[in-house]
């Protein structure tokens, strides 16, 4: 994991049309089969003709749907490997969505409906309604399969406790809707409820999953926390939940943060000493102009704070804006990377990633972005003589 | 004491519209099909408001992607920028970027879905202070605030008032969430005055997502008909007494899926009326309901209506 300028993806990719339709029981057209064939060839997916053949034989029973889901995973892994990434996963092809997948496999939650994330992007939001429990670890089957098909290093993304709590309604830990008492007292009551809720998720859901992944041979586990700084006064809780999830376990742990005011994470994350890498989205805030001076890279102004963390984690430098179809030229990636290395003074601590998962982009766009990212990193290596 | 109820801000879309807009983005459906579903949503929202017995009707800003987007699209000097977290919520807005003069473009702005909405109507717009603090601009934020008020909000508010909007609400979460410096109050009050002066509509400035009580003395002096408070975060007893304006009592939590029983709401509004002695009470939700699923939001609207009905009989 500690290779200089290591490249990796950040979790999710869009699901191919053939995977979505097959799973939903919808008829597949010739275009869907062609999509599977074309990408199979382009990514050199071993045995992809078998998938094309299978897709032509719908409707599908449960076993065939499972087979198609695994094919989707296989394509996802090859997508990342073929783009040239050093560490890969499957674009979360087997999961419904990063929040819904976890909650659907946990006891104590009930889904309430969809809520906007941004624009036309929504997620299914649940309420905690009872004691939280985990019947079966919900990433283990997926990981066991991916180990059998991946050739590159696997980095396992798992949604973190704080984000799961922040994205849920609370109908169990704090149920008082009256406005009796002082606002400060109500705030303290809510804070106590949130702490109990979050740490219950960390210890009853996340940690057992992480333990099982390690048992299966998982080495690098990325705790995804896009909601990490949602509540500015809960950063200590965010850190406590990360530590409660992984402390004392024998693995390499990192975290992913995005679309936040990153200043808020300091100084709280100084206590997150078990975190070996912070993968952070920056490109969304940056210009598209070339240049390696500070004024050329306004989106990366805060990276010195990550540099100065006393336990010297790596920085996963987000260089691809995942909300845009703009294909970052390799030269732009190069300049963002060179700027970060200049600030850090240590290429070993810079890894290179998209800002976040690329699931809102088409495969065509996502692939072009990743290929350019890898090329840009190579250009940076050459510029530095690495 | 006059008690009115209404809903403000962005209302959640139905599952059907959510699916249709996603399909539209992916080229799997037509704009006409999505429009039809939006119309259905609006019809159901109007029905919910009628059932609740509201005094002002909203279109729920159902087509708005965030509180600023339609305005950005209508102003040649503005454009949508980076995605930024919307205060302490898991939702994001496009940061307004100022790259020219702040004026409304032509043709005349049509940002609200007025046709099917009964009168009197309520419109929700961003407060000039909020806008100036979220916008990315090269000029001084207070200049942005004053330019936005004069060039965009003022003509827009006048147009809305002439289109049957009897109440215009300015959303001001920044003050309660992040505060405001002493020196910024004067330009803020002036900017609000530019919008409200001579406007033939009731005006409300609503603070939310935090405790606005540290600024109560300033807020009561603003040139608006009513000031709104998010009482999930604000102490009633910290607001003083003898309010010269009306008060929007935001006491149904716009971010909590639990539905407040009517007696909780009624008890609180009565306390607010006794303590603050406002010229009028506007009972509403603490913040936009867009962070709730639509079914939950509808229950909130009905709970608000039930409490409002009982309060009108007793206050």
């Amino acid at each position: 994991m500690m290779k200089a300028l290591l490249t990796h993806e950040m979790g999710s990719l869009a699901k191919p049309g053939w995977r979505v339709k097959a799973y939903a029981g919808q008829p597949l057209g010739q275009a869907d089969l062609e999509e599977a064939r074309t990408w199979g060839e382009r990514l050199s997916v071993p045995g992809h003709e078998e998938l094309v053949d299978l897709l032509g034989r719908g409707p599908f029973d449960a076993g065939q749907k499972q087979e198609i889901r695994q094919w989707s995973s296989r394509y996802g892994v090859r997508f990342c490997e073929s783009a040239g990434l050093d560490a890969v996963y499957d674009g979360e092809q087997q999961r419904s969505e990063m929040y819904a997948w976890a909650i659907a496999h946990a006891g104590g939650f009930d889904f309430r409906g969809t809520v906007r994330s941004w624009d036309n992007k929504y997620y299914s939001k649940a309420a905690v309604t009872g004691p939280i429990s985990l019947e079966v670890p919900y990433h283990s089957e997926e990981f066991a399969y991916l180990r059998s098909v991946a050739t590159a290093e696997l980095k396992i993304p798992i949604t973190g406790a704080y984000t799961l709590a922040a994205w849920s309604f609370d109908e169990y830990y704090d149920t008082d809707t009256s406005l009796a008492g002082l606002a400060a007292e109500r705030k303290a009551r809510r804070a106590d409820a949130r702490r109990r809720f979050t740490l219950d998720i960390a210890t009853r859901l996340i940690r057992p999953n992480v333990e099982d992944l390690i048992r299966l041979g998982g080495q690098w586990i990325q705790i995804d926390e896009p909601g990490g700084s949602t509540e500015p006064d809960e950063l200590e809780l965010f850190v406590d939940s990360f530590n409660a999830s992984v402390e004392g376990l024998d693995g390499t742990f990192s975290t992913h943060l995005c679309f936040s005011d990153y200043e808020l994470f300091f100084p709280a994350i100084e206590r997150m000493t078990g975190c070996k890498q912070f993968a952070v989205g920056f490109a969304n805030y940056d210009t598209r102009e070339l240049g390696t001076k500070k004024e050329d890279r306004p989106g990366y102004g805060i990276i010195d704070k990550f540099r100065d963390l006393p336990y010297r984690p790596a920085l996963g430098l987000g260089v691809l804006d995942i909300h845009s179809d703009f294909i970052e030229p390799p030269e732009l990636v190069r300049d963002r990377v060179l700027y970060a290395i200049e600030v850090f003074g240590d290429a070993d601590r810079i890894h290179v990633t998209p800002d976040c998962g690329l699931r809102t982009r088409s495969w065509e766009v996502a692939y072009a972005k990743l290929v350019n990212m890898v090329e840009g990193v190579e250009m940076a290596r050459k510029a530095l003589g690495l | 004491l006059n008690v009115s109820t209404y809903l403000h801000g962005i209302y959640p879309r139905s599952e059907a519209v959510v699916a249709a807009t996603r399909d539209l983005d992916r080229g799997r459906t037509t704009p006409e099909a999505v429009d039809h579903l939006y119309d259905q949503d609006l019809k159901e929202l109007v029905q919910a408001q009628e059932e609740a017995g509201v005094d002002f009707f909203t279109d729920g800003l159902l087509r708005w992607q965030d509180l600023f987007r339609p305005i950005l699209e209508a102003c040649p000097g503005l454009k949508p920028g980076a995605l930024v977290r919307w205060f302490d919520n898991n939702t994001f807005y496009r940061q307004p970027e100022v790259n020219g003069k702040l004026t409304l473009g032509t043709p005349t702005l049509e940002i609200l879905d007025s046709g099917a909405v009964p009168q009197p109507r309520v419109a929700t717009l961003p407060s000039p202070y909020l806008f100036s603090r979220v916008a990315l601009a090269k000029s001084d934020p207070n200049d942005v605030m004053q330019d936005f008020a004069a060039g965009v909000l003022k003509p827009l508010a006048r147009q809305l008032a002439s289109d049957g909007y009897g109440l215009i609400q300015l959303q001001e979460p920044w003050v309660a969430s992040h505060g405001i410096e002493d020196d910024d109050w004067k330009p803020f009050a002036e900017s609000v005055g530019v919008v409200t002066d001579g406007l033939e509509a009731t005006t409300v400035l609503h603070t939310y997502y935090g405790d606005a009580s540290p600024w109560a003395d300033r807020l009561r002096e603003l040139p608006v008909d009513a000031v709104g408070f998010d009482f999930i975060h604000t102490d009633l007893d910290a607001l003083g007494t003898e309010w010269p304006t009306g008060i929007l009592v935001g006491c149904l939590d716009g971010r909590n899926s639990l539905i407040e029983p009517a007696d909780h709401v009624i008890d609180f509004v009565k306390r607010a009326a006794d303590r603050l002695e406002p010229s009028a009470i506007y009972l509403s939700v603490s913040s936009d309901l867009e962070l709730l699923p639509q079914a939950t939001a509808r229950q909130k609207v009905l709970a608000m209506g039930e409490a409002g009905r009982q309060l009108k009989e007793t206050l």
Side-chain angles (χ1 to χ4, degrees), chain B residues 4-314:
Chain B
S4 306
T5 58
Y6 69 88
L7 191 59
H8 58 84
I10 300 177
Y11 190 75
R13 298 169 180 170
S14 65
E15 308 276 345
V17 168
V18 169
T21 52
R22 186 172 55 230
D23 285 348
L24 186 64
D25 288 347
R26 294 174 182 175
R28 295 177 188 159
T29 189
T30 62
E32 293 74 24
V34 178
D35 277 345
H36 175 70
L37 291 169
Y38 270 127
D39 290 345
Q40 282 296 117
D41 265 24
L42 180 56
K43 204 175 285 180
E44 285 169 22
L45 174 56
V46 169
Q47 281 171 356
Q49 292 177 91
E50 285 172 340
E51 200 176 327
V54 299
D55 297 281
F56 298 91
F57 289 85
T58 175
D59 72 341
L61 313 181
L62 290 167
R63 294 170 190 258
W64 291 35
Q65 302 292 47
D66 57 49
L67 186 59
F68 312 107
R69 197 74 56 84
I71 296 171
L72 306 188
E73 289 164 358
C75 297
L78 290 170
K79 66 170 189 169
L83 272 184
V84 178
R85 185 179 295 283
W86 180 240
F87 294 88
D88 54 347
N89 302 296
N90 179 40
T91 192
F92 300 82
Y93 66 97
R94 290 274 176 199
Q95 184 178 34
E97 288 185 7
V98 180
N99 58 0
K101 201 172 173 203
L102 292 179
T103 53
L104 275 183
T106 54
T108 310
L109 181 63
E110 291 181 1
I111 63 166
L112 294 168
D113 204 349
S114 307
V117 182
Q119 294 196 32
R121 301 177 186 136
V122 52
T124 308
L125 298 170
S127 146
Y129 182 71
L130 166 70
F131 181 86
S132 68
R133 267 50 192 175
V134 302
L136 184 65
K138 289 191 175 127
S139 48
D140 180 86
N142 286 345
D143 291 341
V144 171
M145 173 162 63
Q146 289 169 318
D147 291 347
F148 181 69
V152 178
L153 287 180
K154 180 179 176 179
L156 185 51
R158 270 146 188 75
Q159 179 193 323
L160 291 167
S162 68
D163 283 350
Y165 285 82
L167 191 149
I168 294 177
Q169 176 160 317
L170 301 174
Q171 301 289 66
E172 186 40 80
W174 195 279
V175 165
S177 188
H178 299 309
I180 177 170
E181 298 293 327
D182 274 355
D183 290 348
D184 296 328
W185 268 104
K186 188 165 178 280
F188 176 30
E190 286 171 358
S191 298
V192 172
V194 163
V195 182
T196 60
D197 186 35
L199 188 67
E200 293 186 0
T202 300
T203 52
V204 179
L205 182 125
H206 180 49
T207 62
Y208 57 102
Y209 291 156
D211 176 8
S213 63
W215 297 279
D217 287 346
R218 303 273 203 166
L219 288 165
R220 66 198 295 153
E221 301 296 329
L222 284 178
V224 289
D225 296 307
V227 175
F229 292 98
D230 174 348
F231 284 107
I232 310 304
H233 300 283
T234 302
D235 273 326
L236 194 54
D237 293 343
L239 296 178
T241 59
E242 296 180 14
W243 271 71
T245 67
I247 294 286
L248 183 155
V249 183
C251 64
L252 292 105
D253 192 342
R255 300 190 285 184
N256 189 335
S257 58
L258 295 168
I259 307 300
E260 292 79 356
D263 59 329
H264 284 186
V265 177
I266 292 164
D267 287 350
F268 187 80
V269 175
K270 284 181 175 171
R271 279 173 49 208
D274 288 346
R275 172 77 189 173
L276 306 178
E277 305 168 82
S279 57
I281 290 273
Y282 299 90
L283 170 61
S284 193
V285 289
S286 62
S287 57
D288 310 44
L289 295 182
E290 76 159 328
L291 302 176
L292 297 174
Q294 197 192 56
T296 309
R298 189 175 194 281
Q299 287 179 276
K300 290 264 178 189
V301 175
L302 298 181
M304 175 184 78
E306 177 56 32
R309 243 189 309 272
Q310 293 187 42
L311 282 163
K312 285 172 187 174
E313 289 167 9
T314 55

